[in-house]
């Protein structure tokens, strides 16, 4: 195995892993958007039954006649109540997990999925049947619904069901719950999303945060969390299991198990409280694992969410879902640190499986579903923002060996483009600076072409190159570093009028520096901090790129503002 | 359907060497078809799924539970143990698993035929065939009558 093909394979598998997480998230969002557009065509915006009370609207019931200030106050009140409930729920979860009520939690999980799939799914199916006047008889409808529900409960309940079936059912559950959330009043939804993102930040990063406690408990116990978590299929390294043993797909290297059952009194309406728990990191000592090889480190990222579903008069608390992103790292036995690519760790280890909690599915879908009530450009912009945030979080996960919340990045990106509500959330120090350019090379090429007055743009991407550095001090942090350079090359030409102006070509490179785990002292250094902090790097961006980006966004401005936002996000993603 | 196939050159790899970076992408790999026509893994998930010993218990459980008016569970059973159905003459394909899976397949087909025939007759026949009973049985009327859509 030569050096050149290794980074390519790593990048391929990295892309594969990312795609396997982003695909179900996108599918869930798409389904919610379809449901919202299909079922809400008759009513404008949010036509909420005044008697639609959930725990999220318990403090204030929004009506369209209120002033903006009243709506904002009411929404804030609602969100406060909601977040308070979620906090209590999470603490209860921690408590129950502390007392090892795992079996109870598993049954609870199954019961909650039964409710969601059976009742919510049935209601939405009835809505659809009524809207389309689909002439199905009640016998077949009940039979199909019963089958669907029971198999779904089995899929989330049993650990060894077909992966595809389990994944499909989790996406469906996320879609159903997200649709119900979109029925909340408008202002409440938007403020609630922000509140949940802030809660996520607080609960994960603060020392006393419930999610952090949960994570630490699970780590110390090395237990599995009985929760609804979407697991992506890992990319399997065939050579790593020569004996043909069954790979444990769900490697909960997380040492933490959280289970919680929450009983809450509510009125006759169902409500749903998701809470997000942190994304955590844990490092294991090197050792054999799944007969792969020696030496592996593991990064665990945990997003936990809890949700409750109440139906009827009974107090049913369906524990929500705990999300977890597991990132496994394989450190190779090769002594040269160049073999140690931390990016490999994003689920690229032989036993790695990326897990994403269902609450993230739900919140992303709620956001996009709510955006679907306005117009499609909003949907597109929000979708891009969410995917960008999710990708950034996943990559950040590989580097930061620390619990990180997953919601805030996406939601902050979305709120940067929301035209209706402008909530300025300045990024915290943990948020990765996505756009960091560090150039190593400047290539100038002048192309002379005769064209008409229209600019053209030829982006080319060059393959990622890898350079290995010998271990040494780096920014006085630690010893041993590896570097992965990802190169995006863009060549742009702008032609104005009859003259031929060629803008020098620019090569942009995102350098990611990573610290290997050989360091005895676990450094809290975020590898992504390395981006742009090197003393010798100067960030250069060719003027052609400036011009092109501005041209694109300027064109978009001729249509409407949402197009501008969407194009802006797309440009920034590049 | 993704199956993992072990490399044909399954010599015992020495544990001292690094595992080569050839990764088989489950999404793009071909169905498991070893040179000798053996079924390496009984489940569709390949090495991520069950072993042969566990599969028997699962297949049996799925098959028995399907009798509780759960033909979909039979379908899931067939889907899960697709390699067993697919390679009936495989060396490792346990006959016990195969018995349950084939039974599930037959049961699902029979049930699907019955249900679809009834459902299609209902849909297409409509009022003309059933008369008054049709309006009583059709789902949106039932939902209206019992107020099922107002529960949440």
């Amino acid at each position: 195995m030569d050096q050149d093909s290794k980074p390519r394979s790593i990048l391929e598998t990295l892309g594969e892993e990312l795609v396997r997480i982003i695909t179900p998230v996108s599918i869930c969002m798409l389904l919610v958007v379809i449901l919202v557009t299909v079922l809400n065509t008759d009513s404008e915006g949010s036509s909420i039954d005044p008697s639609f009370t959930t725990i999220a609207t318990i403090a204030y019931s929004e009506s369209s006649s209120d002033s903006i200030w009243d709506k904002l106050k009411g929404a804030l009140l609602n969100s406060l109540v909601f977040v308070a409930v979620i906090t209590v729920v999470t603490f209860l979860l921690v408590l129950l997990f502390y007392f090892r009520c795992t079996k109870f939690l598993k049954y609870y999980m199954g019961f909650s999925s039964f409710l969601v799939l059976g009742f919510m799914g049935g209601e939405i199916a009835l809505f659809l049947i009524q809207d389309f006047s689909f002439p199905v008889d009640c016998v077949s409808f009940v039979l199909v619904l019963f089958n669907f529900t029971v198999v779904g409960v089995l899929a989330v309940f049993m650990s060894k069901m077909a992966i595809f079936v389990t994944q499909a059912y989790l996406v469906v559950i996320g879609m159903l719950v997200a649709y119900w959330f979109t029925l909340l009043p408008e202002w409440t939804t938007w403020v609630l999303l922000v509140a949940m993102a802030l809660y996520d930040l607080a609960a994960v990063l603060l020392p006393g945060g419930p999610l952090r406690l949960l994570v630490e408990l699970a780590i110390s116990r090395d237990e599995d969390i009985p929760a609804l978590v979407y697991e992506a299929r890992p990319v399997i390294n065939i050579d790593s299991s020569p004996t043909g043993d069954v790979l444990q797909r769900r490697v909960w290297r997380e040492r933490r198990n959280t289970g919680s059952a929450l009983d809450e009194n509510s009125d006759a309406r169902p409500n749903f409280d998701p809470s997000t728990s942190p994304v955590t990191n844990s490092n294991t000592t090197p050792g054999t694992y799944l007969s792969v090889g020696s030496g592996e480190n593991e990064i665990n990222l945990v997003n936990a969410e809890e949700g409750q579903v109440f139906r009827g008069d009974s107090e049913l608390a369906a524990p929500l879902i705990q999300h977890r992103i597991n990132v496994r790292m394989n450190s190779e036995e090769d002594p040269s640190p160049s073999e140690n690519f931390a990016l490999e760790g994003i689920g690229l280890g032989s036993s790695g499986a990326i897990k994403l909690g269902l609450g993230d599915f739900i919140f992303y879908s709620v956001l996009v579903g709510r955006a679907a009530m306005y117009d499609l450009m909003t949907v597109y912009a929000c979708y891009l923002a969410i995917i960008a945030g999710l990708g950034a979080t996943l990559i950040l996960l590989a580097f930061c060996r620390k619990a990180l919340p997953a919601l805030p990045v996406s939601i902050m990106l979305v709120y940067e483009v929301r035209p209706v509500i402008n909530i300025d959330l300045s990024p915290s120090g943990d948020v990765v600076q996505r756009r960091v350019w560090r150039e190593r090379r400047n290539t100038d090429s002048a192309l002379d072409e005769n064209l008409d007055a229209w600019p053209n743009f030829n982006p080319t991407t060059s393959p990622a190159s890898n350079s290995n550095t010998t271990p040494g001090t780096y920014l006085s942090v630690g010893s041993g570093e590896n570097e992965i350079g990802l190169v995006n090359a863009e060549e742009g030409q702008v032609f104005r009028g009859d003259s031929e102006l060629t803008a020098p070509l620019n090569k942009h490179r995102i350098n990611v520096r990573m610290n290997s785990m050989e360091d005895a002292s676990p450094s809290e250094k975020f590898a992504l901090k390395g981006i742009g902090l090197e003393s010798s790097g100067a960030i250069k961006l060719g003027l052609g790129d400036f011009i092109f980006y501005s041209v694109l966004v300027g064109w978009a401005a001729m249509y409407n503002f949402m197009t501008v936002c969407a194009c802006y996000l797309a440009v920034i993603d590049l | 359907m993704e199956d993992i196939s072990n490399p044909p050159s399954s010599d015992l790899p020495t544990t001292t060497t690094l595992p080569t970076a050839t990764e088989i992408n489950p999404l793009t790999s071909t169905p498991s078809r070893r040179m000798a026509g053996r079924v390496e893994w009984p489940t569709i998930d390949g090495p991520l799924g069950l072993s042969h010993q566990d599969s028997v218990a699962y297949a049996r459980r799925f098959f028995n539970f399907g009798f509780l008016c759960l033909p979909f569970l039979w379908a899931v059973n067939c889907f899960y143990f697709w390699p067993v159905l697919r390679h009936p003459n495989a060396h490792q394909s346990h006959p016990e698993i195969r018995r349950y899976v084939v039974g599930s397949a037959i049961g699902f087909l029979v049930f699907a035929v019955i249900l679809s025939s009834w459902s299609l007759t209902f849909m297409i026949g409509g009022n003309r065939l059933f008369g008054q009973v049709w309006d009583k049985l059709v789902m949106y009327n039932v939902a209206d009558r019992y107020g099922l859509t107002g529960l949440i």
Side-chain angles (χ1 to χ4, degrees), chain A residues 276-327:
Chain A
T276 52
S277 59
V279 172
T280 59
N281 254 333
S282 71
N283 297 319
T284 65
T285 57
T288 35
Y289 175 68
L290 288 186
S291 69
V292 173
S294 64
E296 53 186 14
N297 300 311
E298 183 178 358
I299 303 177
N300 288 327
L301 312 168
V302 175
N303 288 332
E305 293 200 6
E306 305 158 81
Q308 302 177 354
V309 173
F310 297 87
R311 282 211 50 93
D313 303 317
S314 59
E315 300 166 335
L316 305 170
L320 264 194
I321 302 140
Q322 297 207 342
H323 316 291
R324 207 183 296 180
I325 302 180
N326 263 334
V327 172

Side-chain angles (χ1 to χ4, degrees), chain A residues 13 16 20 137 239 244 311, chain B residues 20 22-23 25 41 47 118 152:
Chain A
T13 44
E16 185 74 40
R20 283 185 193 168
D137 63 308
D239 297 323
R311 282 211 50 93
Chain B
T20 62
T22 52
E23 289 159 322
N25 186 343
W41 302 102
W118 155 251
I152 297 185

Side-chain angles (χ1 to χ4, degrees), chain A residues 206-415:
Chain A
L206 290 181
L211 298 176
R212 189 172 173 146
L213 291 177
L214 212 63
V215 155
E216 285 164 4
L217 255 182
I219 281 185
S220 66
R221 289 209 202 149
D222 196 4
E223 279 182 15
D224 206 357
I225 298 186
L228 295 175
V229 174
Y230 181 91
E231 294 188 35
R233 200 182 285 262
V235 175
I236 297 177
N237 192 343
I238 287 301
D239 297 323
S240 62
S241 61
T243 60
D245 292 339
V246 173
L247 291 180
Q248 298 176 24
R249 177 170 153 265
R250 297 189 189 142
V251 180
W252 300 90
R253 268 321 176 95
E254 332 203 23
R255 308 296 156 80
R256 306 188 272 258
N257 259 346
T258 54
S260 70
L262 301 159
D263 291 330
E264 276 194 28
N265 268 322
S266 73
D267 55 353
R269 304 295 177 182
N271 45 45
F272 188 76
D273 312 334
S275 68
T276 52
S277 59
V279 172
T280 59
N281 254 333
S282 71
N283 297 319
T284 65
T285 57
T288 35
Y289 175 68
L290 288 186
S291 69
V292 173
S294 64
E296 53 186 14
N297 300 311
E298 183 178 358
I299 303 177
N300 288 327
L301 312 168
V302 175
N303 288 332
E305 293 200 6
E306 305 158 81
Q308 302 177 354
V309 173
F310 297 87
R311 282 211 50 93
D313 303 317
S314 59
E315 300 166 335
L316 305 170
L320 264 194
I321 302 140
Q322 297 207 342
H323 316 291
R324 207 183 296 180
I325 302 180
N326 263 334
V327 172
R328 308 200 52 104
M329 272 180 43
N330 258 338
S331 68
E332 312 210 2
E333 299 176 48
D334 200 299
S336 75
S338 60
E339 302 284 318
N340 208 349
F341 301 111
L343 270 181
E344 209 175 7
I346 306 187
L348 295 186
S350 62
S351 54
I354 291 190
K355 303 179 185 73
L356 183 65
L358 218 55
D360 291 323
F361 277 81
I362 291 168
F363 272 116
Y364 296 155
S365 309
V366 167
L367 206 147
V368 174
R370 176 51 69 169
M373 295 186 187
Y374 304 109
D375 59 65
L376 274 184
M377 279 318 294
T378 321
V379 171
Y380 182 57
C382 292
Y383 171 75
L384 276 183
I386 289 176
I387 296 298
L390 184 62
T393 312
L394 284 174
I395 294 201
L396 184 63
L397 237 39
F399 302 126
C400 300
R401 316 214 173 180
K402 197 185 140 141
L404 291 177
L407 269 191
V409 182
S410 288
I411 292 192
M412 271 190 298
L413 284 179
V414 170
Y415 277 83

